[in-house]
Amino acid sequence: MTDAQTELKPQGDLIFALDVGTRTVIGLLGEKLGDDGFKLLDYELEPHERRAMSDGQVEDISLTAKTVRTVCERLSKKTGIRLQKAAVAAAGRDLRTVRVKKQFDIAAKETITAEDIKLMETDAMQSAQKGLDKSGDGSELYYCVGYSAAGYELDGKSIINLLSHKGQTAGIELIVAFLPNMVVNGLYQTANDAGLKVSALTLEPIAAANLLLPYERRFLNIALADIGAGTSDIAVVRDYKIVGYEMATVAGDEITEKIMQEYFVDFDDAEAMKLQTGENIEYRDIFSFPQIAPRKEFMSKITDSVQTLATSIASAIKQVNGDMPGAAYLAGGGSMIEGLPEAVAEGLGVDKNRVQVARREMFRGVDIGNFQLGAQFVTPLGIALTAARGEGYDFSMILVNDHKVNIFDTHTVPLMELLRSAGYKLTDIMGRNGRSLMFYVNGQQKQIKGGIFTPAVIEVNDVVCSIDQTATQGDRVKFTPAINGESAKATLSELFGDMEDYIFRVNGEEVSTDYKIQSMDKIDAEHISQTAPTEIAEHQEHHEQHHEQHSAQPDIDDDDIDDTDEIENTDE
């Protein structure tokens, strides 16, 4: 460690948002503002030396990490802060989104807590993961990189927020986003090689939507297209809900490559030409000769590419929305090409004034001071805002019985939550005694207890642990589910023995001695000679004493052992 490094202050609670883009890397350093805002302290931007990424996916990890290190070093030098952890956002080709809706029984809950909502969302997310896994051929592993609540219901009626409510059933609808493991692992390895720990992960369109589409704007039907170099990220809102996300691998590079072909220029020179605003476009070709292209001629040569990009964006928006939206924001470096907003408006069929490139006065939830940041900074600012609100997820992978389980928690996760995320039910984890059998004999209440359960066994890295302990990324968890006790059962002959001189009636109906006793049965035993059934009572008492020897548990009603403390769920 150099003397300069030792003089740097630790990052502490400061937020470092890292946007690893296809063409550039942007780093923002700031602090949490109030309860849910972000205040920018400083930033750095650095283009990749050469094409290290494609369609938002890291392909050359070492080269991308080098660019990230450059950004970190410059920002540390400016601020005096040693950057150790970063909030990031994932993008890339082959985004999969799954819409899942689940119903939960909450009748036993006094009120719905934040933890209840989190558990319900986790269950729904896990169902989406399982559904995606089953739909594929198993050749590609997909990781959940974030989700958004598309709606909540309480007793069948739509509601904005379930917190603190009480009812019989709760419904949650989520839009869950998945990316291939290559995309996620490439991003994490890049951060690791640059000396950073990923502290929070989100999806790029989720981050951008948090900045430009805050809750109060989501009543309107608005689309957001964050147009980078390699991907165009789409998000659509209406009726206070996220309608959906989409990602198109058609973006600003399409236009840049067209300029390269038309004018024989390097990629960086084509990028610069794309953003020039004068009457004449000045550039140097690959032979280093200075050239001038009249703007009218320049625009005519790229019009088809601009139109292709606009058509792709408009088509993706309509696909997510189901129709044309009321308005649209364009963000990202690729949004600043002349004529693109008008072309998107035409493709959507809306007034051209309803499609605008994002600018700082449209941002919400951030204080950027005197920095002049525009559309190119929507995603990094959105990443920072998402991290400030605690809505990003730290992606951790833990093995449970040799199966990978995705956990979105920083540092540690309770074993209970881990096992629930792995698909185990509460009874698998905690165990339950068998159901008791309650019935009446000649008007007297009787009970046969259920069998005692065998407890679950949990081992973390070969060490036996209790359920209230935690696991962390990289741990190996071996779990042997509890074996539930058998429910009590008996026939009349098992309960009373060979008593051929008695007549048995159950709930008023005469039955044979092989009748299986049911819960709350009313059994009448009558001696054929009409004498008092003393012998019956004595025989029954002997049977119950024999059963007691095989059960050390106290009497437990069925209601006491039922899963009333868990939120049971079924797919809708």
Side-chain angles (χ1 to χ4, degrees):
M1 183 176 292
T2 65
D3 292 339
Q5 287 177 315
T6 58
E7 294 174 359
L8 297 174
K9 297 178 181 179
Q11 183 177 339
D13 293 332
L14 293 178
I15 297 168
F16 177 46
L18 186 65
D19 180 17
V20 184
T22 302
R23 295 277 67 82
T24 61
V25 173
I26 298 176
L28 308 180
L29 183 64
E31 58 189 2
K32 187 172 181 178
L33 182 65
D35 293 332
D36 58 0
F38 172 77
K39 182 179 180 180
L40 178 64
L41 299 178
D42 216 324
Y43 76 94
E44 272 293 331
L45 180 151
E46 179 70 14
H48 297 292
E49 288 183 5
R50 58 181 183 272
R51 304 190 75 171
M53 298 181 63
S54 177
D55 296 340
Q57 178 179 313
V58 179
E59 296 196 350
D60 189 327
I61 291 176
S62 62
L63 186 60
T64 306
K66 181 181 178 181
T67 308
V68 172
R69 283 195 299 272
T70 299
V71 168
C72 292
E73 289 167 1
R74 289 180 180 173
L75 196 52
S76 290
K77 186 176 180 179
K78 290 167 68 175
T79 63
I81 302 297
R82 184 187 305 114
L83 300 174
Q84 301 161 301
K85 54 188 178 181
V88 300
R93 48 183 174 250
D94 207 11
L95 170 73
R96 303 287 180 89
T97 59
V98 177
R99 184 179 290 267
V100 59
K101 189 173 183 179
K102 299 197 74 174
Q103 292 288 329
F104 301 85
D105 181 0
I106 58 170
K109 291 288 177 182
E110 288 296 325
T111 59
I112 303 173
T113 66
E115 183 180 357
D116 293 333
I117 296 173
K118 182 179 179 181
L119 281 172
M120 288 189 283
E121 290 179 343
T122 299
D123 281 347
M125 182 272 291
Q126 201 69 29
S127 293
Q129 176 82 65
K130 291 178 181 177
L132 184 66
D133 290 344
K134 290 179 180 178
S135 67
D137 59 8
S139 61
E140 181 75 84
L141 179 63
Y142 279 80
Y143 291 149
C144 174
V145 292
Y147 62 82
S148 294
Y152 298 102
E153 289 183 354
L154 183 66
D155 293 340
K157 296 182 179 180
S158 179
I159 192 170
I160 294 175
N161 193 341
L162 290 170
L163 187 63
S164 298
H165 283 281
K166 179 176 175 57
Q168 298 299 308
T169 61
I172 286 186
E173 184 175 10
L174 298 182
I175 300 172
V176 190
F178 298 89
L179 285 173
N181 66 325
M182 175 183 269
V183 175
V184 178
N185 291 340
L187 185 60
Y188 268 69
Q189 191 59 50
T190 295
N192 183 70
D193 287 3
L196 296 168
K197 171 180 170 54
V198 175
S199 59
L201 170 71
T202 188
L203 187 69
E204 287 193 356
I206 292 177
N210 282 341
L211 183 73
L212 290 174
L213 298 174
Y215 178 77
E216 60 271 17
R217 286 181 180 168
R218 295 185 182 185
F219 171 73
L220 303 172
N221 189 195
I222 307 175
L224 165 62
D226 186 5
I227 309 162
T231 60
S232 295
D233 302 323
I234 309 298
V236 179
V237 299
R238 66 168 180 262
D239 298 329
Y240 295 115
K241 300 176 182 178
I242 298 287
V243 175
Y245 300 108
E246 185 58 82
M247 192 175 293
T249 54
V250 178
D253 276 1
E254 311 298 321
I255 299 172
T256 304
E257 290 168 355
K258 178 65 173 178
I259 295 171
M260 292 173 67
Q261 294 172 349
E262 291 290 341
Y263 292 97
F264 273 78
V265 293
D266 292 330
F267 185 88
D268 291 342
D269 292 321
E271 281 282 282
M273 292 173 69
K274 188 169 66 175
L275 300 179
Q276 287 188 42
T277 58
E279 289 297 320
N280 293 310
I281 308 298
E282 299 180 2
Y283 66 98
R284 284 184 178 271
D285 61 24
I286 60 171
F287 307 109
S288 293
F289 293 133
Q291 305 285 356
I292 295 177
R295 170 164 292 281
K296 186 175 181 180
E297 173 200 284
F298 177 79
M299 292 304 301
S300 67
K301 289 189 175 183
I302 66 170
T303 294
D304 288 348
S305 296
V306 173
Q307 187 61 51
T308 298
L309 175 58
T311 300
S312 298
I313 292 170
S315 176
I317 290 173
K318 287 181 177 179
Q319 181 177 345
V320 175
N321 193 51
D323 197 358
M324 66 178 187
Y329 287 111
L330 303 185
S335 68
M336 296 183 287
I337 184 68
E338 182 180 340
L340 183 60
E342 292 82 2
V344 171
E346 182 180 356
L348 291 175
V350 301
D351 187 279
K352 64 179 182 179
N353 292 324
R354 292 286 179 88
V355 178
Q356 295 289 322
V357 176
R359 51 190 186 274
R360 63 173 290 159
E361 53 265 34
M362 299 176 183
F363 302 164
R364 291 293 181 271
V366 295
D367 177 1
I368 62 175
N370 295 323
F371 294 107
Q372 300 302 311
L373 307 183
Q376 187 177 7
F377 288 83
V378 166
T379 293
L381 283 170
I383 296 170
L385 183 62
T386 302
R389 293 175 176 174
E391 296 175 357
Y393 301 94
D394 182 16
F395 181 85
S396 297
M397 206 165 41
I398 300 175
L399 288 177
V400 177
N401 292 343
D402 296 325
H403 293 287
K404 293 179 180 179
V405 178
N406 301 328
I407 294 295
F408 302 99
D409 253 325
T410 304
H411 307 307
T412 62
V413 59
L415 286 174
M416 173 68 80
E417 183 176 333
L418 172 66
L419 294 173
R420 291 296 299 275
S421 296
Y424 292 102
K425 297 179 180 179
L426 187 60
T427 50
D428 295 327
I429 302 168
M430 302 301 294
R432 62 182 290 175
N433 292 331
R435 297 176 183 273
S436 298
L437 182 61
M438 188 89 66
F439 54 96
Y440 295 86
V441 176
N442 293 341
Q444 293 185 349
Q445 183 174 304
K446 300 294 179 181
Q447 181 185 41
I448 300 176
K449 300 169 185 174
I452 303 171
F453 73 89
T454 302
V457 178
I458 307 171
E459 298 177 52
V460 178
N461 302 326
D462 301 322
V463 177
V464 176
C465 298
S466 62
I467 190 61
D468 58 356
Q469 292 181 256
T470 60
T472 190
Q473 184 171 354
D475 279 347
R476 292 173 292 103
V477 177
K478 182 179 179 181
F479 176 65
T480 303
I483 300 175
N484 295 327
E486 292 187 3
S487 296
K489 57 185 178 181
T491 63
L492 289 174
S493 61
E494 290 171 338
L495 184 64
F496 296 100
D498 185 14
M499 303 182 70
E500 296 181 354
D501 53 348
Y502 277 85
I503 296 174
F504 294 97
R505 291 185 176 85
V506 177
N507 304 324
E509 297 286 337
E510 186 173 332
V511 296
S512 64
T513 55
D514 62 358
Y515 172 80
K516 294 179 181 179
I517 300 171
Q518 305 298 311
S519 179
M520 304 309 292
D521 271 351
K522 293 180 174 58
I523 303 169
D524 291 306
E526 182 181 357
H527 195 275
I528 295 174
S529 64
Q530 301 297 318
T531 59
T534 304
E535 184 181 356
I536 295 176
E538 292 176 349
H539 192 96
Q540 181 184 338
E541 183 178 354
H542 173 74
H543 178 87
E544 291 175 352
Q545 289 174 349
H546 176 76
H547 184 81
E548 288 285 347
Q549 296 174 1
H550 295 81
S551 176
Q553 290 294 105
D555 288 352
I556 301 176
D557 289 340
D558 181 60
D559 289 341
D560 292 332
I561 62 172
D562 204 356
D563 290 346
T564 54
D565 288 335
E566 82 167 310
I567 302 174
E568 297 184 352
N569 61 81
T570 56
D571 289 321
E572 186 174 85

